[in-house]
Amino acid sequence: MMSVEGLTAGYGRVPAIVDVTIDVAAGELVTIIGSNGAGKSTLLRALSGLIRCSSGTVRFDGADITNLSPHRIVKAGLVHCPEGRHVFPMLTVRENLRIAARHGRSRETERLEEVLTLFPRLGERLSQSAGSLSGGEQQMLAIGRSLMADPRLVMLDEPSLGLAPLLVAQVLEVAGRIRDRGRTVLLVEQNAELALQVADRAYVLERGRITNSGAAGELAGSRSIREAYLGG
Ligand code: ATP
């Protein structure tokens, strides 16, 4: 579904990701693990058109979407849920979800049902202002907003960031359920252990470069990965 080849991108003249090649097939949950500053968020920004790629190509459903505007990339079906729970705090949960919808009324109702099935907690809080939600609920809302755009592939950037351990597991489990409902997921995570538990395949990003890849279960069992990312 998405095929990224030789992608280099960064800020100013300094590339933060170099020659990145990854593939994501339809229906897969692929995770990108890597430590702080490895370039994970930069990769997602480059894929979603928020920063320019200086070389390489991004193909989505066969079409070249490299350096298209973020708006056109969302329209193509590739939706980015950025790090940091971006919700409109003064608007209600329902309003936050509705303004994120991309299609007409009927599809909007369908999407809303999907989001509320995944996150029943949001259903109990539809009239509450988003700013008054807990951190975990805001993260669920942020993911819900991405789903309202009806993505074929949704990219989740560190959905577990700053959450209590129990919620971390819940949020990552939701990534698996989104995949089970037929969407394709690219998950960026610092919590490698849990990410490898929910993912089908994984790539390791180190200092801007892909250094390892494979089936998630295999990587979780690899000694070097265990030592570097899973606490030995
Ligand atoms: P984290 O998990 O800590 O967010 P990450 O793997 O997502 O890490 P990035 O945020 O992609 O890493 O950062 C990769 C590199 O790019 C880092 O050296 C970072 O300092 C740099 N960088 C990130 N954002 C910017 C920016 N807006 N301007 C300049 N440099 C940036």
Side-chain angles (χ1 to χ4, degrees):
M1 173 175 277
M2 182 164 71
S3 157
V4 178
E5 217 179 296
L7 207 68
T8 297
Y11 310 93
R13 270 193 230 143
V14 191
I17 54 162
V18 181
D19 199 20
V20 167
T21 294
I22 64 169
D23 283 296
V24 182
E28 271 193 315
L29 196 177
V30 173
T31 186
I32 297 181
I33 59 172
S35 44
N36 257 315
K40 304 181 299 296
S41 301
T42 302
L43 173 58
L44 296 197
R45 283 185 205 123
L47 296 176
S48 58
L50 295 172
I51 59 170
R52 279 193 76 75
C53 309
S54 54
S55 62
T57 52
V58 184
R59 300 187 78 80
F60 187 70
D61 268 343
D64 187 345
I65 60 161
T66 323
N67 290 328
L68 290 187
S69 68
H71 171 73
R72 289 188 61 193
I73 291 175
V74 169
K75 246 181 141 174
L78 179 57
V79 174
H80 180 184
C81 183
E83 186 176 312
R85 307 172 201 156
H86 296 277
V87 299
F88 294 102
M90 308 295 279
L91 300 185
T92 65
V93 169
R94 188 195 304 274
E95 287 162 345
N96 265 278
L97 291 170
R98 289 188 64 176
I99 57 173
R102 195 160 64 86
H103 294 293
R105 236 339 128 80
S106 63
R107 298 295 295 278
E108 184 182 315
T109 307
E110 232 174 79
R111 291 291 78 73
L112 191 62
E113 274 169 21
E114 178 185 355
V115 171
L116 299 184
T117 305
L118 279 168
F119 304 113
R121 277 270 271 282
L122 294 181
E124 297 158 14
R125 290 170 169 73
L126 282 172
S127 309
Q128 194 174 321
S129 70
S132 67
L133 296 176
S134 72
E137 290 162 356
Q138 285 188 23
Q139 183 60 66
M140 292 171 195
L141 179 56
I143 298 173
R145 283 174 48 78
S146 303
L147 297 178
M148 290 302 287
D150 201 11
R152 304 202 44 228
L153 193 164
V154 61
M155 305 193 289
L156 305 176
D157 192 354
E158 299 273 6
S160 75
L161 196 75
L163 298 183
L166 191 67
L167 283 175
V168 171
Q170 276 179 21
V171 163
L172 293 184
E173 187 234 338
V174 159
R177 279 166 47 212
I178 294 171
R179 182 261 332 264
D180 295 343
R181 297 180 68 89
R183 296 187 193 275
T184 306
V185 182
L186 181 60
L187 169 71
V188 152
E189 256 299 324
Q190 248 189 78
N191 190 321
E193 184 160 9
L194 286 175
L196 291 175
Q197 277 175 27
V198 297
D200 302 306
R201 281 192 310 115
Y203 291 90
V204 181
L205 192 66
E206 280 178 18
R207 280 178 254 109
R209 293 173 187 271
I210 300 289
T211 55
N212 205 342
S213 66
E218 268 167 41
L219 285 187
S222 122
R223 183 163 178 180
S224 61
I225 297 292
R226 284 210 314 271
E227 282 173 3
Y229 298 103
L230 307 177

